[in-house]
Structures are given as C-alpha cells and as structure tokens.
Amino acid sequence: MRAVYPGSFDPITLGHIDIIKRISNIFDEVVVLISHSAEKQSLFTVEERMKLIHEALKDIKNVKVDHHQGLTVDYVRQAKAKVIVRGLRAVVDFEYELAMGNVNRKMAPDIETLLVNASPEYYFISSRMVKDIAKNKGDLNGFVPKHVIKPLQSKFAKSMNKGGKK
Amino acid sequence: MRAVYPGSFDPITLGHIDIIKRISNIFDEVVVLISHSAEKQSLFTVEERMKLIHEALKDIKNVKVDHHQGLTVDYVRQAKAKVIVRGLRAVVDFEYELAMGNVNRKMAPDIETLLVNASPEYYFISSRMVKDIAKNKGDLNGFVPKHVIKPLQSKFAKSMNKGGKK
Amino acid sequence: MRAVYPGSFDPITLGHIDIIKRISNIFDEVVVLISHSAEKQSLFTVEERMKLIHEALKDIKNVKVDHHQGLTVDYVRQAKAKVIVRGLRAVVDFEYELAMGNVNRKMAPDIETLLVNASPEYYFISSRMVKDIAKNKGDLNGFVPKHVIKPLQSKFAKSMNKGGKK
Amino acid sequence: MRAVYPGSFDPITLGHIDIIKRISNIFDEVVVLISHSAEKQSLFTVEERMKLIHEALKDIKNVKVDHHQGLTVDYVRQAKAKVIVRGLRAVVDFEYELAMGNVNRKMAPDIETLLVNASPEYYFISSRMVKDIAKNKGDLNGFVPKHVIKPLQSKFAKSMNKGGKK
Amino acid sequence: MRAVYPGSFDPITLGHIDIIKRISNIFDEVVVLISHSAEKQSLFTVEERMKLIHEALKDIKNVKVDHHQGLTVDYVRQAKAKVIVRGLRAVVDFEYELAMGNVNRKMAPDIETLLVNASPEYYFISSRMVKDIAKNKGDLNGFVPKHVIKPLQSKFAKSMNKGGKK
Amino acid sequence: MRAVYPGSFDPITLGHIDIIKRISNIFDEVVVLISHSAEKQSLFTVEERMKLIHEALKDIKNVKVDHHQGLTVDYVRQAKAKVIVRGLRAVVDFEYELAMGNVNRKMAPDIETLLVNASPEYYFISSRMVKDIAKNKGDLNGFVPKHVIKPLQSKFAKSMNKGGKK
C-alpha cells in the first residue's frame, strides 16, 4: 500500500519528520508530496524544499519525495496510491482536514484520507511559526532538523535587504 | 416576517441554495444580500453574482436578491427586516458568527441573528474551496449549480493569462 | 409562524428568559416546551418547572408553556409548528445541536432548527451550574430570576437530609 | 497490514459500517473489536452485538469480528496488528481521540492510531442517539441497518416493564 | 501573591505536578486545594489524596495542600488569596473553564482565574484516563509519580472483589 | 512580580482595557507591550498607539507602556519579567495561544504564559472588528474608549481618498 503525504513543507519541520517516520512503518511506500502553485508565495523554491526533505529522510528507505501543482487527488490517482495521510494538531486543522477530506472523497471516492495525530512534543510546530522565529532571530533548535537551520536563517538575512517576506 | 441572508456569494454554491430553500419555508420573504466592499477582491462582479443567484433561485417565489456596501445591520434596518440568517458549518464559523451576532446586537438590539446548520451533504462546501477546485481544473459537479460551472471555469481560464487570482 | 423552544428548564435561568424574549419578537407564538423522560432525574417536577416558567414569562403575551415526553419532532409536528429554536453557548453546545438538528431533519424534513446565540452576559449560565451554586449555598442573584431563588434553595435544604442530588 | 477498529458497537450503526467498508479497501484485514468491561452497562450483550455486526458485514471478505475486555493496545499487540483505526465526527471526538491516541502511543510506541472522517451523511449518527430514538419510538431507518431495527426496538419494548435503560 | 490551584486530584498526575511547579515559580505561595463533595464519588479518600500530593510536592517550598467542600471562591476569599489557577488541555477544558471563571467572577469580582497550558508531554493525561489504565492493568509509568502507582493499583485490586468503580 | 501583556493594540479596545485592569490587581507591574514588525501593516503608527493606550490607562498606577520589534520572550527576559499574559476569547484564540505559549516555553523555559478570559461583555470585541465597524461608519460606542473613537474615524476618512486599508 502506497500513501501520499502532501504539504507545502516550506520548510520541513521536526513535526513533519515525526509523522513521516511513523507512517513509513505502516505503509509499503510513503510519497512526501510538495504541493505548490504559481500564485502561492513560498520562502523556499520547490527544488530547495526537495533537497531539505531528502536530507531529512535519507535514513528512511520506503520514502520518496515528489512535487505537484494542482489537485492532490489527481496526483494520488496517477501515482496509483489509494491513501492520503495528513497530520492533525488542533481543532482548526481538524475542521480544515474534515472539509478537505470530504471534497477529495467527492472528487475521488476511491481515495481515502487518514489523519495522524502530531506527537505532543511537536504539536505546536508549524512551518509558519518556524519562519516567524527565524525572521526574529530566535533559536531554531528543537523546531527544524539541524541542516534546515542555516538555510532558513540565510533566507531572512537576505530578505532583510529586500524588504521582508510574509 | 422578512429575513436577510447576507454573504459574498462569490459564487453561490449548493450549500447556499440549500439554506435559502430551507429558510424560505419559514419566513415570508428572504432577501439574499450580497455584501461587498471596495477593498475586498472578488472573483465575480456584483452584477455577475446577482445574475447567478437569480438563476439559481428562480423557482423560489419569496426570495429577493440585493447587494449592499457597508454594515449589514444598516441594510436590515432600512429594509424593515428584523432577522439576519447565517449558515453554520464548523466551529470556526460558529465562533465568528457568535462574535458577529453580538457586534450586530450591540449596534442594533432590535435585530436578531438566527443560525442554520448546513445540511451534512453540503457541510464541506465553501466558495473558497469551490474556487480552488476550479483553479485546479477539478470537477465542479456536486459543489455549485450547473449554470455556475461554466462561468467559474472561464474566470480561471482568463486568469491563467494575467497571473492568477487568490 | 409558531416556534418551539425545548429544554429541561430544571430550573429556568436568566439565560433561557433572554432567549425566549428575543425570539418572541420574531415569531408569532413561542412554545416553551419542557422535555422530560421517566428515566432522567430532575430536581424540580414538571409541575414545579411549569409554574416557575409561567411566573418568569408572565409579561410576554405570545408565549405558551407545555411539556412533552418523547421526541421533540413529534411534539412540533402535532403542534403544527415548523421551527425548533435552540440556544448556543459554546462549541460543545454547537456540536450537540448540529447532530440533534440533523437527526431531527432526517426524521422530520419539514421541521427546521434555528440556533440563537446566548447573550454574552448569560453565556456562562446553565441549569447545571445554577444547581451546583445552590447546592454549595452560593449567591444565586444574576443567574436565575428572583422567584426561582427560594424554591431552588429549598430543594438543597431538603436534599441535605436525604443524601444529595446529582 | 492488519488494522483494528475498536468500539462498543452498542449497536452497530450505518456510520460504523461506512467506516469499516472504507478501511477494508485500504488494509489487508480489519478486525472490528467490541471493547467491553464488566462495569460499563450496555444495551446489547457482547454476543448480540457480534451477531448484529456479522450480519451487517457479511459481504466484506477481509473483516473479522472479535471482542476484548481491557486495554485496546494489549489486544492489538497480541493480534500482531500495528494500526488502530478510529472514526471522527466532531471536535469533541477529535480531542478525545487525540488524548487516547497519545496514551496508547505512550504504552505501545509501535502501534499507530489512524483517524478517519465520518462521511457527511453519517456525521451525526451515534449509538447513543440511536438508542434515544429507539426509546422514544422514532423512525430508525437511515440510522442503523435494517436487521438492527427490530432487535433495537425490542430492547426498549422490554425495558418499558423493568424501568428504562440509560 | 497567593494562588489557589483547585481540583479533585483523584489521584495527582504528572500533569498536575508540572503545573504546580511552574506556577510556584510565579506566585509567593500556591495552595493545592482538593475540592470534594459528599455526593461525588472518588477513588481515593481526601486523606489519601492529601498524602499522595504532599509526597509528590515535598521538594517545593512554597506549596501548601488543603481541602474544601463547597464553592472554590469561598475558600479563596477566606484564604485571603486573589487568584485561582487552572490548567488547560483541550477545547472542552477551555470552555468549561471559561464558564466556571465567569461564574466565579460574578460571585467574587475581586478574584481572578488565570489559566495555564498543560505542557505538551502531559497534555493527554487526566485522572480519569489514569484510573482507566490502572483498572485495565496497564503500565502507569509516565502518567503518575512513582509513589502513586502502587496505591492506584491496589485500589483496583480491591475493587475487583466488590464490583468495580467508575 | 512584573507581567508583560503583548499585542498589536491597533487600536486599544474596551476588551484590552478590561484585561489590563484585572491583571494590574494581581501583578506588581504590568507592561503593555506593543509588538510590531516592519512587514505587518497597521492602521495606527506605534507612536499613535502608545498615546491612545497611555490615555486609556492613565488612572492605573502600576502600568507601563512599551513597544518591541522581535520575539516577545526576548523583551520579557530583558525586562526581567517572568510572566506573559494573554487574553482569550474563543477556541481559535485558545489554540493559537496554546501553540504560542509552547513555542515561547521552548525558547525560554523560565517564562510562563498565563491566560485570562475576556469578560463576557467584551468577548466579541477585536481590533479587527472595530476597524471594520469604523470603515463602515458604524457606531463605535461600547467597543473602544471615547478618546479612540475620533482618531479611528479620521483614519478611515483619510483612507477613503487613498484607497482603503485592510
């Protein structure tokens, strides 16, 4: 059974890695899928994100990294997978995932969305908070893997000169 | 008793139509009110939205469509209505509606807000999700009425050339 | 239009009265319906509850008080009403009402449930909290109408001797 | 991959069946596990519940029904499964499942809990609501499978004579 | 400044201890207050609970343990404290604490309730879950302090013979 | 004990003032901290916000107003405070504060975040809603202090000419 774990991973956090490790024990293959779109601004390019994810997951054998522009269900179907996995941290996540899962089931009744609780120690980590901490020169240890810290700091060192990034 | 059902209806979805049909059985007249403002970007113009709503509701006799820029309570008072109706889908909606309802009651203690549960089958539909699906060329059946599909698709066909729409 | 406002009203609180007053401005007639069942223990008998409600609402002309054992939709249908009104205080209420409303619509598609926000100043009042305060000899002013205070205190004066009431 | 779907199933509803069908498409085997305990009162005996579940699932090949008294993780481990599946309907469910999932992971780090959204049309159905409807002689179609209706009605016909069931 | 931390502590968990330690750094004195009532059944007696709490907190100097039957605000006032501290784990907690805090402020406007987030690693622990685990002979390490494990196990060893405890 | 109450205060509302008054009774000193950043657009400048806050709090002796760009924990540490106070209105607030509090504790384990319930009558007021009302020429009494009304109205009088403010 192949499962797809979609997200923006801008950048990958310790919370993402925890979920990927856990689901890689359950499914034969896990595809970490970077969902992107022309309109949505990101801090890292798709290529940078792929590289950071690959480095973070190099010890897990049954994981593949890919990227996709468009509906997740279209990717899942074409990848011949039947399962989308999403992490849950809070009620706001839960309601969004509930709606998204139902939309996906309406468009692709053969594809199921399974939700996985974030581990308590990573419950409060999001890519957005991580970017806020980096922007404010806070300590990133415990939020992202070691190899992500420097690239993340550089982004905001650069952005200082060109006016910030939201 | 006249009730006002305000929203941005950008565009009208099957979820909106379900609520309008249900409340048109309770109140003497239902005014579907397009709330708009100069600053808030929309996909469809007010005129386009009115036309799509009219077409969707042509079989319901006691429904009127109107538009308004400014506070909903100002419209309701001038329309000599006493009731605002709002649909609820999720906790996030609920809390927003709670706050909005209280703000409105503070400004206009004579006007009541009544909340109506979305029907389960439409629970997960929002104008925003519908636009996302359209942007990604997904199947819009089951989300919006038939006559809305084509105009919605055209918007994103056009926007392809000029850089997307959020 | 006739609306039914069901509840256990064990006893009626200032929160209930606020909602009844507000909806009596909207509907032609409001039926305050005491829902009871043989198995569910209550502090006040149905007769006592009816008396306390009548006293509380004596100034509102278009209100009727009644009681019913069984499904609310059965009462509503037989009363030739089309609307059930329920008050909302919190997310927990909201989710319960959402489920109840859907169950009722499945059993009686012609009956609608409308939800009304509790006013902020009564947001935190429930019959259950009121009973807890009374049991612990707390000050009941601001929670229940004046004429309910004494009967409520007497219940717990009595219950002291026979071992408490949950 | 074997998954365990635990619950009290007192009785099985259309909501349970929907989730079982959906997860039986993903996992090699699904064990529907009746969790019971000496202290927790139930309407149906374990034997009755097993029979009603078997009948409901007779067309799904990779489903097994079992029962267990004690911690679910103990059963899962002994059954050599690695996955617990739970359905989600509301925020209250979500928070309970979050806590339960974390407790289980603390006791058995090798076992994962996956959460599945109830389908919108079954979102509002619970065994508890179904029992309430049966007790009040309401229409059970659309809530439980056909073969559950009669046994459920009989329980409350009987309980009439011996004083109700909570 | 003296703060009161009320609860049933039946029994004290690692989650309680974490909150007590954290608030003992902020306030001059923290009173851990066992709230009990004649009607509410508990697993441990008040005396047993006090002893377990004392043992758990013996290294914190500015903590006092006490017990009280009745309204918490009555105790707080008589103890010349101005602050009630409560822990938060979930939305359900939050809404209950919101209502309780408002009830308390209505009865005692001079007393404030401050809420403290449970630490992520204790987020999912409650006295209730701990009792469930003990009842089912699960591993209690990581949920309660070492010295609580044996007394907790004994309670359920005993209760086996007399029919269980809820 | 010194406590820091951070926010954008764009502008200060009656809800903020209520919380500041209440916590100034508990802590020796309360620092009202305007958190700002170069990227985040605001309606009022930091200087204007400070002036409006000073005027609003002139009768409270133990309150100081300050502003800071960067992580709140950095300010708190440098101000030799140990407590951050945040107000809570809704579940959405609660979850955000939960995450923020945990991020702050990870970066600064010696600093605690205490949460205070908004009073029911101010529960629904936010700077954002206040700006919406001002933009739409609604009545601002009961939302912001008297001296804030005029400056707020002027902002939107001006913005009319230059194209609005979100």
Side-chain angles (χ1 to χ4, degrees), chain A residues 85-148:
Chain A
V85 175
R86 298 280 296 165
L88 281 186
R89 278 171 320 209
V91 169
V92 177
D93 282 17
F94 160 63
E95 297 207 321
Y96 175 78
E97 295 302 334
L98 197 76
M100 243 352 271
N102 281 324
V103 166
N104 285 340
R105 286 229 306 143
K106 187 151 198 122
M107 292 191 294
D110 49 315
I111 296 173
E112 284 295 338
T113 300
L114 296 176
L115 304 169
V116 180
N117 283 332
S119 295
E121 59 270 38
Y122 303 121
Y123 203 77
F124 52 90
I125 302 178
S126 66
S127 293
R128 188 186 168 146
M129 278 218 170
V130 158
K131 282 181 272 194
D132 264 13
I133 296 169
K135 191 172 65 190
N136 289 302
K137 315 290 168 219
D139 182 357
L140 290 160
N141 281 294
F143 296 99
V144 293
K146 298 284 174 203
H147 72 278
V148 172

Side-chain angles (χ1 to χ4, degrees), chain B residues 1 26 82 98 105 115 119, chain C residues 1 26 105 115 117 119:
Chain B
M1 180 67 55
I26 300 176
K82 284 198 319 206
L98 197 76
R105 285 230 305 143
L115 304 169
S119 295
Chain C
M1 179 67 54
I26 299 175
R105 286 230 306 144
L115 304 169
N117 284 331
S119 296

Side-chain angles (χ1 to χ4, degrees), chain E residues 1 25-26 82 105 115 119, chain F residues 1 25-26 105 115 119:
Chain E
M1 181 65 56
N25 289 327
I26 300 176
K82 285 200 315 209
R105 285 229 307 144
L115 304 170
S119 295
Chain F
M1 182 64 56
N25 289 326
I26 300 176
R105 285 228 308 143
L115 304 169
S119 295

Side-chain angles (χ1 to χ4, degrees), chain F residues 6-148:
Chain F
S8 52
F9 303 103
D10 185 37
I12 192 166
T13 67
L14 292 180
H16 296 132
I17 296 172
D18 171 63
I19 285 181
I20 296 165
K21 279 191 183 157
R22 287 161 52 195
I23 59 176
S24 70
N25 289 326
I26 300 176
F27 296 101
D28 298 324
E29 192 183 42
V30 173
V31 181
V32 178
L33 183 70
I34 301 172
S35 296
H36 56 103
S37 67
E39 303 94 39
K40 203 176 153 190
Q41 279 194 301
S42 65
L43 184 65
F44 291 93
T45 66
V46 172
E47 291 67 34
E48 289 170 330
R49 285 183 262 171
M50 288 202 77
K51 212 181 130 197
L52 294 176
I53 299 175
H54 268 126
E55 174 68 18
L57 305 178
K58 65 185 173 195
D59 296 335
I60 314 179
K61 292 217 173 98
N62 58 336
V63 168
K64 204 182 121 184
V65 188
D66 206 349
H67 62 95
H68 177 69
Q69 195 163 350
L71 294 174
T72 300
V73 287
D74 288 341
Y75 178 89
V76 175
R77 214 185 254 135
Q78 147 209 325
K80 300 200 187 310
K82 286 198 316 207
V83 174
I84 296 170
V85 175
R86 297 280 298 166
L88 282 185
R89 278 171 318 211
V91 169
V92 177
D93 281 17
F94 161 64
E95 298 208 319
Y96 175 79
E97 295 302 332
L98 197 78
M100 243 354 268
N102 281 324
V103 165
N104 285 341
R105 285 228 308 143
K106 187 150 199 124
M107 293 191 292
D110 48 315
I111 295 173
E112 283 297 337
T113 299
L114 297 176
L115 304 169
V116 180
N117 283 331
S119 295
E121 59 269 40
Y122 302 121
Y123 203 79
F124 52 90
I125 302 179
S126 66
S127 293
R128 190 188 167 144
M129 276 219 170
V130 159
K131 281 180 274 196
D132 265 13
I133 296 169
K135 192 172 64 191
N136 290 303
K137 314 293 168 216
D139 182 357
L140 290 160
N141 282 293
F143 295 99
V144 293
K146 298 282 175 204
H147 72 278
V148 172

